[in-house]
């Protein structure tokens, strides 16, 4: 396929602009794979200036034909959540984000947790929010770590556990989250020495568990033999 060869530089120099033009032609003929790649290239600004609106349009069309990835599902869900380029719709957001979060997408886990935490598109569910935030936190996301700290410190979705709240705050603060640093220092004023010692032990344990964040995957054509 000419578009594939232009994208990956098979037998010719890499030419994203040419690949995009060719994929778009196939997308307009209804090819789901081409719609998926066109949407990704437009959204990511490959071969063109970034075009979130156009990218969303093609990614959604591809998804409606069953061609998705965790990244594309997360993008579609985020657009509905924020009302960006499409009218805000929490139920639609939750539908797309749930699939992406189940496949381990960090951004989707954070966004879906936000929906559950705030009761958007359904009942407020702190337990589900905490589970999702913890999954994102263990992947190294500092904002999710700060949110997990807050939920343990305040007993939201779980029993109040100041030591564990402090530990998560401390981890987020070590990754540059200033709100977590402030919250940790405030929480410390209300903790016993026993709780503080336990918190520091938990912090070390979490530090060893937490993965380094990996860069989000690009939406790209599937490799061909």
């Amino acid at each position: 396929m000419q578009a594939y060869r232009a994208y990956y530089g098979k037998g010719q120099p890499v030419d994203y602009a040419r690949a995009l033009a060719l994929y778009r032609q196939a997308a307009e003929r209804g090819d789901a794979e081409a719609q998926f790649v066109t949407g990704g290239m437009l959204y990511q600004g490959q071969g063109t200036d970034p075009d979130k609106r156009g990218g969303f349009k093609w990614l959604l069309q591809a998804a409606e034909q069953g061609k998705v990835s965790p990244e594309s599902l997360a993008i579609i869900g985020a657009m509905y959540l924020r009302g960006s380029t499409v009218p805000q719709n929490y139920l639609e957001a939750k539908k797309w984000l749930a699939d992406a979060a189940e496949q381990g997408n960090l951004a989707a886990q954070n966004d879906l947790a936000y929906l559950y935490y705030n009761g958007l598109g359904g009942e407020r569910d702190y337990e589900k929010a905490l589970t999702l935030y913890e999954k994102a936190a263990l992947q190294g996301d500092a904002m999710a770590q700060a949110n997990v700290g807050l939920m343990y410190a305040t007993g939201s979705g779980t029993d109040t556990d100041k030591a564990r709240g402090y530990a998560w705050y401390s981890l987020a603060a070590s990754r540059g989250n200033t709100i977590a640093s402030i919250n940790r220092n405030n929480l410390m004023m209300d903790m016993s020495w026993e709780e503080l010692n336990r918190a520091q032990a938990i912090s070390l344990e979490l530090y060893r568990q937490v993965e380094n964040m990996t860069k989000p995957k690009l939406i790209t054509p599937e490799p061909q033999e």
Side-chain angles (χ1 to χ4, degrees), residues 37-51:
V37 176
T38 299
M41 293 186 75
L42 289 172
Y43 190 89
Q44 294 154 181
Q46 289 181 297
T48 182
D49 291 332
D51 178 1

Side-chain angles (χ1 to χ4, degrees), residues 28-137:
E28 288 168 350
R29 293 194 295 270
D31 183 277
E33 170 73 14
Q35 290 171 348
F36 174 79
V37 176
T38 299
M41 293 186 75
L42 289 172
Y43 190 89
Q44 294 154 181
Q46 289 181 297
T48 182
D49 291 332
D51 178 1
K52 307 290 190 188
R53 183 182 297 276
F56 171 82
K57 177 190 119 176
W58 287 116
L59 289 175
L60 182 60
Q61 286 193 34
E64 288 169 344
Q65 293 199 69
K67 178 59 186 176
V68 297
S69 70
E71 293 72 34
S72 73
L73 290 166
I75 288 169
I76 293 168
M79 291 291 208
Y80 278 118
L81 170 59
R82 293 168 177 82
S84 175
T85 80
V86 66
Q88 193 171 51
N89 187 313
Y90 296 134
L91 290 176
E92 281 294 306
K94 189 174 282 188
K95 177 181 79 174
W96 297 102
L97 290 170
D99 284 345
E102 191 174 328
Q103 295 178 56
N105 184 275
L106 188 154
Q109 289 168 347
N110 269 327
D111 281 345
L112 187 58
Y114 175 84
L115 284 166
Y116 281 124
Y117 186 90
N118 291 286
L120 304 174
E123 292 292 321
R124 190 188 298 270
D125 192 328
Y126 286 136
E127 288 186 13
K128 285 185 179 179
L130 178 59
T131 297
L132 288 159
Y133 275 137
E134 281 190 304
K135 287 180 179 179

